[in-house]
Amino acid sequence: SIDFDDVGFDPEGNGLTITLRQTKTAQASAVTVDITMARNAAACPVLALKAWLARSHITAGPVFRGMRKGDHLTNGRLSDRHVDGIIRRLAGPEYSGHSLRAGWCTAAGQAGALLADSMRHSRHKSERVAIGYQRAGRRWIDHPGANLL
């Protein structure tokens, strides 16, 4: 449900900020999510979004839209079911939007991200849930038994 006006690119090139008007966990108020530039340009979500906006010529309304045959962009917003279908088609039937969120938390843990920072970005309210994802990623990082033997 991201509109063009909800996206703000950092003028210094550090990343972008997206305002989410309504989410599963924030029904009444908007939240913002900062997305940093990736070290790998081929995997950078900021560069990918810039390229999408340039190629699609979107300057207002929904950022993520449906396509008709012949690669014709519609004005209609992608639904959560559309996004889920895209994820399953590209990543496999066992994956979903939740898989991407959980995987991000696990990868952030592997990279040494602090739990509070990870939760701020993923918008997890429950430390118990967030710790579960980070623990999976940090299984062998700073293991308390590593220096015992």
Side-chain angles (χ1 to χ4, degrees):
S1 65
I2 299 168
D3 286 333
F4 182 82
D5 291 338
D6 297 331
V7 178
F9 291 96
D10 178 60
E12 295 177 18
N14 294 310
L16 64 91
T17 298
I18 296 177
T19 300
L20 302 173
R21 306 259 170 233
Q22 186 178 23
T23 69
K24 187 170 111 177
T25 58
Q27 297 286 320
S29 61
V31 296
T32 58
V33 176
D34 297 325
I35 301 175
T36 189
M37 294 286 291
R39 289 186 190 116
N40 177 357
C44 182
V46 178
L47 294 177
L49 183 56
K50 280 185 177 183
W52 167 248
L53 292 172
R55 187 165 186 188
S56 65
H57 305 289
I58 293 173
T59 58
V63 169
F64 301 110
R65 302 173 182 197
M67 301 287 287
R68 290 192 318 256
K69 287 186 178 185
D71 289 336
H72 294 289
L73 190 63
T74 71
N75 289 327
R77 180 182 310 280
L78 287 182
S79 72
D80 56 343
R81 280 185 270 123
H82 286 114
V83 174
D84 190 58
I86 292 167
I87 292 168
R88 290 178 189 279
R89 191 168 54 253
L90 295 175
E94 67 275 18
Y95 293 97
S96 67
H98 178 265
S99 304
L100 298 180
R101 185 179 186 210
W104 184 91
C105 293
T106 302
Q110 287 173 325
L114 297 175
L115 181 63
D117 293 336
S118 182
M119 287 180 66
R120 181 174 37 86
H121 184 77
S122 67
R123 298 175 328 279
H124 276 97
K125 302 290 185 229
S126 165
E127 284 185 12
R128 183 183 59 77
V129 172
I131 286 170
Y133 294 130
Q134 275 218 339
R135 186 177 298 131
R138 297 187 59 81
R139 181 172 289 131
W140 305 114
I141 298 170
D142 297 329
H143 190 284
N147 296 320
L148 294 178
L149 302 175

